[in-house]
Amino acid sequence: MQRLFKLCYNNAFLVIAIVLAVTGFSISKAFDLKVNVSTDALIPEDSPLQKEYQRVTDAFGSDQLALVYIEDEQLFTHEKLTLLQKLSKELNKLPEVERVESLFTVNDIRSVNGWIDTSPLLRKIPKSPEALAEKKQQAIDNPLMRRSIISRNGNATLITLYLRTADGEQMDSDKRVYNDIQEILEGLKAPPAPEPTQDAKSIEHLPESVRIALEAKKKAKEETAAPTDYTTQFTRIFQVGSPALHVWMADYIIADQKILLPAAGLILVLLIGLMMGSFQAAIIPVINAIISTAWTFGLMVALDIPISMLNYIVPALILIIGATEDVHILNEYSEAKGEGSLGSDAVMQIAHRIGLTLFLTGLTTTLGFAVTGLSALSIMQEFGTTAALGMLSRFIISITFLPAWLRIFGRFIRSQKHTANENARHRKVTQKVSNLLEKNLLRNPRRVILVFSLIALPCLFMIPKIRVSNDLISFLHPDSPIVEQLNLVANRLSGSKVIYVTFYGSENSLKKHESLQNIEAFSNWMREDQRIDTVTSIADYIALVNKAMQGGNEADRHVPDNDNLISQYLLFFHRSDLKPYVADKFSDANVVLRSNISDSSELNTLVADIEQKLNTGKFGDLRYSVSGKSVMVAAAVDKIIGGQVISLASMTALLFAIVGVLFLSTRAASLAVLSNLFPVVVVFGIMALFGVTLNVGTCMVAAITIGIAVDDTLHLMVRYNKELKILKDEHKAILASLRAELFPVITTSLGLAGGFVILGFSSFVPVMQFGLLSALVMILALLSDIILTPVLLSTTRLITLWDVLGFNLRNALIERSAMFEGLTKWQAKKLILLANLEERQIGEYIVREGDVGNSLYVIIDGELEVSKTIEGRKVVITKLVLGDIFGEIALISDVKRTADVTANTDTRLLVLNWKALENLQRYNPFLSSRLFLNLSRILGQRLKSSLERIESPAPFPTRTPFKNMSKRQKPPSP
Amino acid sequence: MSRHRSYPYSSLLLILGVLVCLTGFVKIPSKTGAQIMDEVVNRHKAKTELELIKLVVVDEEGNTQVREMISVFSQDDKGDANYMIRFLSPSDVKGITLLTKDAQSDDPEQWFYMPALGQARKIMGENRSGYFMGSDFTFEDLRRENVEEHSYYRLQDDEVNGSQVYVVMAAPANVDIQSATGYANRLLYINRDNFNVLKVEFYEEGKTEPVKVLEADQYAEVTEDSSVDRPARIRMNNKTSGTYSVMTLMKSRLNVPVDPLIFEPESLNTWTPETDEPLLEQFNTDS
C-alpha cells in the first residue's frame, strides 16, 4: 500500500491524467445507460413459476395490459363512438399490441330475432339516439363488458391493449408502448402514408356525378386518416397499466436523482466542510464519488446492466462509504502534516497508518455486496454487481487518485498543528466525547449495555412484524395524479393486474359440461371476492349463448348439461374470440381474473386463498395453476428479503472473520458484530413500528447500514489493535483509538445524515423512506461505534495478553510450564486470556507469607525469589523463572500463603484467580479438567519435593537448578 | 350455382342494377361495372348446385379447426331461391343446419336447426354482418347478391397475380342497405379473360385499408355437368383479427335434380344422420 501511495504520489500528473481519461471515457459511455424499473427483473429466471407462466401465455396470450381510459357524458353518440373506434383501430396497429379489447371487439352475445349474434357490440355504430341508447344498455347488461369495458353508468370505457411479450429489454418496450400510445392520444403520431387504394385511382370510366361522389369520399377518408388529438375530444382520456407505471416510475427516479442527489451532496459538502474546517476535505469525497460513479456507470454499460429500482442507490452508496474513507485519509494526512511530515512522507504516513484498514474496508464492502449478487433474481444480481463495482472503483480511486491529488493540492490542507482554531474545536469535540466515555460510560459498562439492550430488545421483537411488500403504487405519493388515475380506473372499471387460473384436462375435455360447470362454479365463487374486479372464462361465453338460445331469460345464463349442445354453441364463436379462455383442442381452460391489487403480500394471500379453495376439490379435480406476471413478482418478493439476509449475513461474516483474524479472538469478532447489528436491529424495529414496509427501496437501508457500520468498525478496530500493541492496556487503547477516529467518524456520520435527510423530501416514497431511515442509521451507527463498541471492548479482555506475550515468549511459556502440560495451543490461549497481566518492579513483594490469597501466578518474564522466615531469619528456598508457577496452594486449598515471593528483577506475571477458574469449570469443562489435572500434578510434585527436602540434610538449599530438570521434577514453591 | 358461397364467383351478382340510371346520359367508351358484373353472373350461372365443402378456420397462432359441410342451392324459374347448409363433421356439430328461403316477392326467411336443441328456430329479420359459424365469413359474404341493393362502378384496370383484371366497386344502393351491411363498399377484381373473380377487398366506413380480403384461386371447370368455372379454394383474410378461413371445394355438382323437401323447415325437425345420405349419394352418380 505504501509503495502504491508513493508511486501515485510521484507520478501524480500521470495518475490524474489516466483517471480523468478513464472517467471521460466512462461518462461518454454512460449516456447509453438504460433505466429499467420493470418488474421482470424481480422474477427469477428458469423458476417453475416462470416456465408455467411461459406456457400459459403461449397458450392464452399475454397478461400484460396497457389501458386507455375514456370518460365522457356524451360517450354514446355517433360522433364520440366514431372517434373511439378510430382510436381503437390506431392502437391496434401498434406493433407491440397483441389484441385489443374494446366496445368494438368484445363479443356481444345476444339473441337477435331468434338468431344468436356474437359479433362485437359496435361493429357498426348506429346513428339514431334510440339505437345508441340501446347499445349502451346492452353493453352495461353484458357481463363480459361490465367493468372490464364499460363503467356501470355507461359513460366511461376502457380500451384494453394486451401487449406482446417484449423482445429484449422490457423497459425499452415499456417506454416505446407508452410513448406510442401517448402520441396516438395526443394526435402526434403521423399516420402511415395512406396506400393508394383502387378507388383513389383515376376514375376514367365514370360519369361525372359518380366521380364527384368518389372524390368526396376520398377526401373524407383522408380526413379521418389525419391524426386526431383525442385529449381534446373527451372529458377525460389517459392511459394506465404497466408500461405507463414503469415509465412514470423511471421518470420519478430520474427526477429524484437530478434534484435530490445534488442537493444531498451539497449538504454533505457543507456539513463536512464546516466540521473539518476545510473546503477540500468536503469536496474530495464528492469528486471521488463523481469519478467512481462515472466508472461504475461505464462498467454497467459494458456489462449491459440497466439502472433498476435497487441499484440506482449505488451512487449514494459510493458517496457514503467513499466520504467516510476519504475523510479518514484526509484526517490522517492532516495529522501527519501536524506531526511534521511533509509531501510524500505525509502520504506514506497515511498508508502506514490506515493502509490496512483501507484495504480491509475495500475488501469487505466489495465482497459483501458481490455476495448479494448471488441471487436468482436478476435485479439482485444487478444490484450486487453494481454495488461491488462501485465499491471497487471507489477503493481504487481512494488509493490512487487521492495520493496524486494530495501531491498537487495537499499543500492547501491545513495541518492539525498549525490551525489552532480548528484544532481547538476538533480537540474540544474529541476531548468532550472521550471524557464522557472515560469518566462515565467506560466505568459503567453494564449500565451502557443495559441502555443499548433496552433500545435494541423491543426492536428485535418488532422485527417479525415488518410487512414485506412490493407495491409499486405505494411508491408514489398518495396525492400524485398517477395514483388518482389508477384508482379512478380501478373503481369505475377494473384494475390492470391479470391473474390466470388455468385448468388442465385432456383433449376436448373442456367441452364437457362437468368441467365447464366446475369452471363456472369457480368463476362465481371468485366473483364474490371483493378483491377481484372481473372474472371471465369460457363458461361465461357458453352461458350467454345458452341464455340467448333459450329465449333470453337470465335464469338460463348457465352452462347447460348437454355436451353436444355445448359443442354446437361453440360454433358461434370464432376461434380467436375464445383464445384467451380455451386452448387449442379444448384441453385447457383459462379463467382470467382482473384486479387492482398492487401490494405483493395481498396478492400472495389471494393466490394462496385461490389455491386452498381449489385444493379442496370443490371445483373438480383438474390440475390447475395460478400464474401471471404479477403473481410471479409477488412471489419473488421473498427472494429480495432473502437477498438482504444474505447481504447482511455475508458482510457480518466478513466482519467477523476480519476482526477475528486481527485479534485472533472470536470474542472480539463477536463483539464487533454485535455492535454492528445494533443499528440494523433498531432500524428494522423502527420500520416495523411505523409500518414502513420492507420493499425494494427500504431493504437497501440494511445494505447501507452494514456497509457504513463495517467501515467505521474496521477503522476503529484496526486502530485499537495497533494501540493495544503499543499501550498494552484496553482502556488506554480504546480511548486512544477513539481520539484518533472520533472526529472523522462524527464528521462523516453527521454529514451523511444531513445529506440523507434531504432525500426525505422526495415525492418518491421509497427514496423518502430510504433517506430518512439512512439518516437514522448514520446516527445509530455513530452511537454504536463511539459508545457501544468501546464499552463492549472494554468489558472484554481481548487478546491483549496473548498479543503482549509475543510469539516466542508464548511458545517458550507453553513449552516449559507445567500449567500448560497437554493443552492444545487454542486451550493454552484460552487459559492465558483468562489471566491478568501484572508487572512488578525489582524488590517488590508479590505474596507475603501468612496472607490470604486466591490467585495463582505464572512467570512470564524476570526472576523471583521464594523465601521463608525461619526462626527470624530469611531463608531463600528457591528462585523462579519463566514458566514457573506459584500461589497454587492458596488458590486451591483454603490456606494462607506459605512463603514470601519477591521480584529479583522487573517481572511480568500471569495472574489467574479462583473466579476465573470457576468460570472455566462452568463453560469449558474439558480445559478445566485438564488444568486441574495439571495443578494436581504440580501439587503432587510439590508434596514429593517437600518430603524429599525434609528428609535431606539441607532442606533449604540456596538454589535449585531446576531448569535442567524435567517439568514433573520441579522443586516446591510456596 | 353456389350462391350461398358469395359473389366473388358465379352467383354473387345477378343482372345489372341502378347504374343504368346513372350512366344512361353519358357515353361510355367500354364495358361498365354493371356490364362486367352481368357477364360474371351469366358465365357462372347454374340452376342447382350441390357442394361438399371443407371449412378450415385458422387463428392468428395458426391453430386450425376443420369442419365439413354440405351446401345445396336451387333456384326456380321465378327466381325464388333456396339455400341449405348442413354440418357433416366433426360429430358433435353434425346436423346443424341453416336454411334460407329467398323469394323474389318477400324478405328472406331463415331457419336454424341445432340437433342438441331439438327444434328448428325461425330467425326473424336480417343478420347480414354477423359471422358465420365462427369463421371469417359473415352471413352477407355467403348471401346471394341482390343487384338492386348495389351500385357498381368500374375503376381503372389492374393486375392480380399476373392476370389483367377489371376493377369494379360495389357500394350500397340506398340508406337502408347501407345501415344493414357491414361494409361501406367492396372492390372486385375480375379476370378480363374469363370473368372469374380473383380477389375482393372489403372496406368499412372511412377506412383506407380493407378490413377483409378474399382470394379465390384454382379455378377449374366442373366438367362433368357443364363448362362453368368454379374456384377450388376461397380464402378469406381478416385483416383486423389476423385470422383467416379457407373454404375448399371437395366435390361439386351443377344442375342436378334436388329434392325440394329438403328446403322445407318442418323436415329439419326430423333430421337424422341418415337424412343426408341421398344428398351425398348424388356426388357419385352420373348426371
Side-chain angles (χ1 to χ4, degrees), chain A residues 440-671:
Chain A
N440 297 316
L441 304 176
L442 287 182
R443 296 205 179 149
N444 299 304
R446 278 161 201 241
R447 211 173 288 169
V448 174
I449 293 172
L450 185 71
V451 170
F452 273 85
S453 305
L454 282 179
I455 299 171
L457 274 178
C459 292
L460 197 64
F461 284 111
M462 287 298 284
I463 288 178
K465 296 200 173 71
I466 293 187
R467 271 189 66 239
V468 175
S469 162
N470 201 40
D471 183 354
L472 281 186
I473 311 298
S474 78
F475 289 0
L476 304 167
H477 208 270
D479 296 336
S480 79
I482 303 166
V483 176
E484 191 265 329
Q485 290 181 351
L486 283 164
N487 289 336
L488 176 72
V489 174
N491 289 337
R492 300 206 58 189
L493 287 122
S494 63
S496 59
K497 282 274 184 334
V498 175
I499 301 168
Y500 283 164
V501 182
T502 312
F503 293 90
Y504 296 98
S506 52
E507 193 170 326
N508 284 331
S509 65
L510 270 306
K511 275 183 177 176
K512 303 275 175 268
H513 71 277
E514 294 94 345
S515 316
L516 287 167
Q517 284 171 348
N518 276 331
I519 289 174
E520 187 175 39
F522 170 70
S523 303
N524 288 337
W525 176 71
M526 288 277 32
R527 282 193 184 99
E528 283 165 21
D529 197 313
Q530 290 299 314
R531 295 169 289 183
I532 304 290
D533 294 341
T534 65
V535 181
T536 318
S537 74
I538 178 75
D540 297 315
Y541 281 77
I542 291 165
L544 279 170
V545 180
N546 194 52
K547 174 189 164 187
M549 287 305 288
Q550 306 289 351
N553 293 323
E554 191 60 24
D556 289 319
R557 187 156 68 81
H558 60 81
V559 175
D561 290 334
N562 182 331
D563 289 347
N564 275 352
L565 192 57
I566 291 168
S567 291
Q568 291 166 20
Y569 283 169
L570 284 169
L571 273 185
F572 288 105
F573 300 100
H574 192 282
R575 186 67 198 80
S576 64
D577 295 338
L578 301 179
K579 195 197 162 196
Y581 311 105
V582 66
D584 190 32
K585 309 221 191 306
F586 284 85
S587 56
D588 314 329
N590 195 29
V591 181
V592 180
L593 311 178
R594 292 251 303 258
S595 88
N596 193 41
I597 297 176
S598 57
D599 183 317
S600 62
S601 59
E602 266 179 57
L603 197 62
N604 282 331
T605 315
L606 175 66
V607 171
D609 290 350
I610 293 173
E611 287 177 341
Q612 197 196 351
K613 191 76 179 178
L614 286 172
N615 285 341
T616 62
K618 201 181 166 215
F619 304 121
D621 51 4
L622 285 181
R623 194 167 64 79
Y624 71 88
S625 75
V626 182
S627 61
K629 196 164 263 183
S630 45
V631 173
M632 285 193 290
V633 170
V637 169
D638 289 351
K639 304 260 179 180
I640 296 178
I641 308 313
Q644 278 311 296
V645 173
I646 290 173
S647 164
L648 275 172
S650 58
M651 288 252 199
T652 313
L654 274 170
L655 180 73
F656 186 88
I658 289 173
V659 176
V661 167
L662 260 181
F663 292 85
L664 268 176
S665 156
T666 49
R667 186 152 183 176
S670 312
L671 288 182

Side-chain angles (χ1 to χ4, degrees), chain A residues 58-59 85-86 89 92-93 98-99 112-120 123-124 192 194-195 197-210 214 217 220-222 224-225 508 511 545-546 548-551 562-576 579 584-586, chain B residues 22-23 26 29-30 57-61 63-65 67 87 92-94 96 98 112 114-117 121-127 129-131 133-136 138-139 153-158 167 169 178-185 187 189 203-209 211 240-241 243 245:
Chain A
D58 280 351
Q85 188 179 33
K86 185 182 166 210
K89 298 248 169 168
N92 198 18
K93 275 187 196 146
E98 191 174 277
R99 68 188 173 96
V112 181
N113 303 322
W115 180 250
I116 303 298
D117 188 358
T118 63
S119 55
R123 194 159 169 271
K124 276 177 66 77
E195 285 165 34
T197 51
Q198 273 296 326
D199 52 349
K201 290 181 180 178
S202 62
I203 312 164
E204 55 195 57
H205 307 303
L206 288 182
E208 191 58 29
S209 56
V210 176
L214 281 175
K217 195 166 216 169
K221 279 186 184 181
E222 277 168 5
T224 43
N508 284 331
K511 275 183 177 176
V545 180
N546 194 52
M549 287 305 288
Q550 306 289 351
N562 182 331
D563 289 347
N564 275 352
L565 192 57
I566 291 168
S567 291
Q568 291 166 20
Y569 283 169
L570 284 169
L571 273 185
F572 288 105
F573 300 100
H574 192 282
R575 186 67 198 80
S576 64
K579 195 197 162 196
D584 190 32
K585 309 221 191 306
F586 284 85
Chain B
L22 288 166
T23 55
V26 186
S30 59
V57 182
V58 186
D59 73 8
E60 56 268 57
E61 309 283 292
N63 298 316
T64 58
Q65 278 184 327
R67 286 154 202 163
F87 281 83
D92 53 6
V93 299
K94 190 175 168 75
I96 288 186
L98 182 69
F112 181 62
M114 262 189 181
L117 270 181
R121 272 141 214 257
K122 183 165 183 192
I123 299 163
M124 314 288 284
E126 284 196 288
N127 184 35
S129 57
Y131 282 97
M133 291 294 156
S135 74
D136 293 292
T138 59
F139 284 94
Y153 310 113
R154 180 177 170 191
L155 309 181
Q156 196 184 42
D157 291 355
D158 203 345
V167 182
M169 182 174 79
Q178 199 169 30
S179 65
T181 177
Y183 309 120
N185 57 53
L187 292 184
Y189 295 75
Y203 290 87
E204 285 182 356
E205 193 63 48
K207 299 293 159 349
T208 53
E209 281 164 57
V211 288
T240 317
S241 65
T243 60
S245 300

